[in-house]
Amino acid sequence: MMLCLLLTGTSGKTTYLNVFSSDGENVNLPCTSALTGCTSTRWMYNREGRTSVSVILFEEGMKKKDTERRERLSLGSGCSLNIYRATTEDHGHYTCRQLNTQTHDDNVNLHVLHVSPSSTQTEIRPGRSFTLSCQLYVYDGYGCVSLFNDEEIELVWKNKTDVDLQSDSRYQISFSPEHCTSSLTTTLLNEDDNTEWRCEITNGTEVKTSVRYTVTYLVSPAVIPAVTATVAALLALTALIALRFICKKRAGSDKAVISSLTPVTPPAADVHENPDDVAYAEIIISRNKFTERHNAQSDDKVTYAAIRGAKAGGQEEVLRKPVSSRI
């Protein structure tokens, strides 16, 4: 949807029109003074201001061959100018003039709204600070201050249920009329995946145009615990394999065989202190005969949280070892 705001008053025989468009929207710029057939119509473009040289887009109804973005430009009904999928590069001042006639010029200021995040896609995830910038690209000859103050134009942030976010303490919203920008900052939550925020241009209660941005997480928050548990299990398995070789080394010629590897629930104290950093498992080692324990050696790198010894003359020992996820 594209809406226009006709400024009050005229200058001589020249009329002025402000057109607001969102980035990627199809735009139609009217030409009220055109004659039938468009053979006397000239469309010109100027981005920098009235003192700079204008670029001719159409002459006598024909598109200029050396015109930039010519593949996105065409003439519509009433010799209006169509811009296909407008971008921020299209903002500026457009003039429709009738050659060899006494009719007035039609002057149209095209302003394009664009929203962009400050974070890369890989940085967008729960717990991170996230900022969206909404900028209105304004014709340089007009100026942001005049457009926002004189014409009562505002940039407003809303969610998908049309609630104004200005009054919500979760969001920090800042506005710079000199740069035609409004920024929204918040800390992302798990439930923000696929959440939509919208920046609108308003004139009083009338919405001129808007741009939507949808937050998307690369990994769904619901999947993160499962991934974390899988990684912890792989780390624990790696540590258990290493433990098997250490047990063999310490047993010497007395062969030891791991007959059971069983994940166990860690002690309540350890869960409270390090709920995410430690995984536990019980290893049952069977051997042919009881072997006298040796003193710990300086090259033993494994730390045991608890060792449950076998009964005298027994054949089994149960070792409990914490495995750090930072290995």
Side-chain angles (χ1 to χ4, degrees):
M1 179 182 69
M2 184 271 293
L3 297 174
C4 303
L5 170 66
L6 182 62
L7 301 185
T8 58
T10 61
S11 177
K13 291 184 178 181
T14 303
T15 61
Y16 294 89
L17 189 71
N18 280 329
V19 173
F20 298 90
S21 170
S22 60
D23 193 6
E25 183 180 21
N26 296 333
V27 179
N28 177 266
L29 307 182
C31 182
T32 60
S33 61
L35 303 178
T36 303
C38 304
T39 55
S40 61
T41 299
R42 172 189 289 171
W43 271 103
M44 297 177 291
Y45 168 73
N46 187 318
R47 182 190 298 173
E48 303 302 328
R50 294 182 178 86
T51 59
S52 61
V53 178
S54 297
V55 177
I56 298 177
L57 305 176
F58 285 84
E59 182 77 6
E60 297 180 346
M62 302 297 293
K63 187 186 303 184
K64 301 289 286 187
K65 293 183 178 180
D66 57 348
T67 301
E68 293 184 11
R69 58 202 172 99
R70 67 184 309 274
E71 69 282 353
R72 295 192 294 111
L73 302 178
S74 65
L75 290 183
S77 60
C79 304
S80 60
L81 179 64
N82 294 323
I83 304 177
Y84 176 70
R85 297 185 64 85
T87 72
T88 56
E89 296 298 316
D90 294 318
H91 81 280
H93 180 76
Y94 293 81
T95 301
C96 180
R97 177 173 297 169
Q98 304 308 309
L99 304 175
N100 304 318
T101 67
Q102 298 299 317
T103 57
H104 61 79
D105 290 345
D106 288 286
N107 293 277
V108 185
N109 298 322
L110 176 61
H111 315 296
V112 181
L113 188 66
H114 177 74
V115 170
S116 60
S118 62
S119 307
T120 63
Q121 182 60 56
T122 56
E123 295 173 330
I124 300 177
R125 57 179 180 268
R128 288 293 190 94
S129 177
F130 179 71
T131 299
L132 283 176
S133 177
C134 180
Q135 180 172 358
L136 181 63
Y137 287 77
V138 174
Y139 165 53
D140 294 345
Y142 197 99
C144 289
V145 175
S146 297
L147 194 63
F148 280 88
N149 295 339
D150 299 344
E151 302 306 324
E152 298 181 351
I153 303 298
E154 293 183 310
L155 291 176
V156 180
W157 287 99
K158 294 184 177 181
N159 60 19
K160 60 183 178 181
T161 59
D162 209 37
V163 174
D164 192 335
L165 301 180
Q166 183 69 49
S167 58
D168 193 328
S169 60
R170 182 194 165 191
Y171 304 96
Q172 294 79 52
I173 297 176
S174 60
F175 173 64
S176 173
E178 294 81 9
H179 300 93
C180 299
T181 59
S182 178
S183 297
L184 177 146
T185 301
T186 187
T187 299
L188 293 175
L189 306 176
N190 286 342
E191 55 266 31
D192 287 331
D193 191 23
N194 294 319
T195 292
E196 177 186 285
W197 290 310
R198 184 172 73 252
C199 179
E200 295 180 347
I201 299 178
T202 61
N203 176 242
T205 59
E206 183 181 10
V207 178
K208 297 302 178 183
T209 191
S210 65
V211 177
R212 294 172 171 81
Y213 184 89
T214 302
V215 176
T216 305
Y217 296 150
L218 288 180
V219 178
S220 173
V223 177
I224 293 177
V227 173
T228 303
T230 301
V231 172
L234 291 175
L235 291 172
L237 179 59
T238 302
L240 293 176
I241 293 174
L243 178 60
R244 177 180 180 180
F245 287 101
I246 292 174
C247 290
K248 284 186 176 182
K249 176 182 177 182
R250 296 184 59 168
S253 59
D254 186 11
K255 295 182 179 180
V257 178
I258 296 179
S259 59
S260 176
L261 302 178
T262 307
V264 296
T265 302
D270 287 350
V271 172
H272 178 72
E273 295 176 1
N274 300 291
D276 298 322
D277 295 340
V278 180
Y280 287 80
E282 280 189 346
I283 308 98
I284 299 178
I285 304 173
S286 299
R287 57 181 65 191
N288 292 330
K289 62 180 180 179
F290 178 80
T291 302
E292 182 182 357
R293 288 189 176 89
H294 299 283
N295 292 330
Q297 302 298 318
S298 60
D299 61 347
D300 289 334
K301 302 299 183 182
V302 178
T303 302
Y304 295 95
I307 302 175
R308 187 170 68 223
K311 297 180 180 180
Q315 296 183 355
E316 294 186 339
E317 291 181 353
V318 178
L319 309 177
R320 178 172 291 158
K321 171 191 175 296
V323 182
S324 173
S325 62
R326 298 192 180 95
I327 295 178

